[in-house]
Amino acid sequence: MSTMSDIASYCPEWTDNERMSVMFAPMRHKELNPESWNSKILFWGSLISKWVLHNKKSCLTLEVLEKAFLRDGKSPHCLQEVVSECVKTGLVVDQARFVASIAHKGNWGGW
């Protein structure tokens, strides 16, 4: 599990209580404020990418992320939506799709 100082080393906003209060809040409907919605998705997508690299992880679950991003005993309420959006955009690939993408195709041309 990451500590607050670990995450703060690659996410300076992590120590800003006001900013993180907003980022930990549930997602509002995209239609209400698309700019804010996109900002939150970009923030968490970027932080997940940095966390994966920093912790040398290639596989993760929502539960792992919730524990990794615990802050003051709370996990972000928006992670499920963020991960879903990351899958839609290709930032995160589900395990079955990844395995299928590297599976032997049966001939030399498949390599």
Side-chain angles (χ1 to χ4, degrees):
M1 179 177 7
S2 298
T3 65
M4 192 161 161
S5 61
D6 285 343
I7 295 174
S9 70
Y10 50 88
C11 178
E13 295 135 307
W14 194 256
T15 58
D16 181 341
N17 290 333
E18 189 174 317
R19 170 82 169 140
M20 294 315 297
S21 178
V22 171
M23 300 316 284
F24 270 60
M27 298 288 285
R28 294 185 178 166
H29 292 286
K30 185 176 183 177
E31 296 77 26
L32 294 177
N33 189 341
E35 191 172 307
S36 176
W37 188 91
N38 285 328
S39 174
K40 192 178 267 192
I41 292 291
L42 289 173
F43 171 84
W44 283 110
S46 173
L47 187 53
I48 290 168
S49 294
K50 291 174 186 175
W51 180 87
V52 165
L53 292 172
H54 181 80
N55 291 283
K56 297 176 174 62
K57 300 284 186 187
S58 59
C59 190
L60 54 92
T61 64
L62 185 58
E63 292 77 22
V64 166
L65 292 176
E66 287 171 342
K67 289 178 184 173
F69 295 130
L70 268 178
R71 187 174 186 279
D72 297 330
K74 299 175 185 170
S75 61
H77 289 282
C78 57
L79 279 180
Q80 184 169 359
E81 290 165 286
V82 169
V83 170
S84 293
E85 190 64 24
C86 289
V87 169
K88 285 181 194 173
T89 62
L91 181 63
V92 173
V93 179
D94 66 65
Q95 186 176 4
R97 184 177 291 168
F98 174 74
V99 170
S101 74
I102 62 170
H104 177 62
K105 303 293 187 214
N107 61 36
W108 286 102
W111 291 60

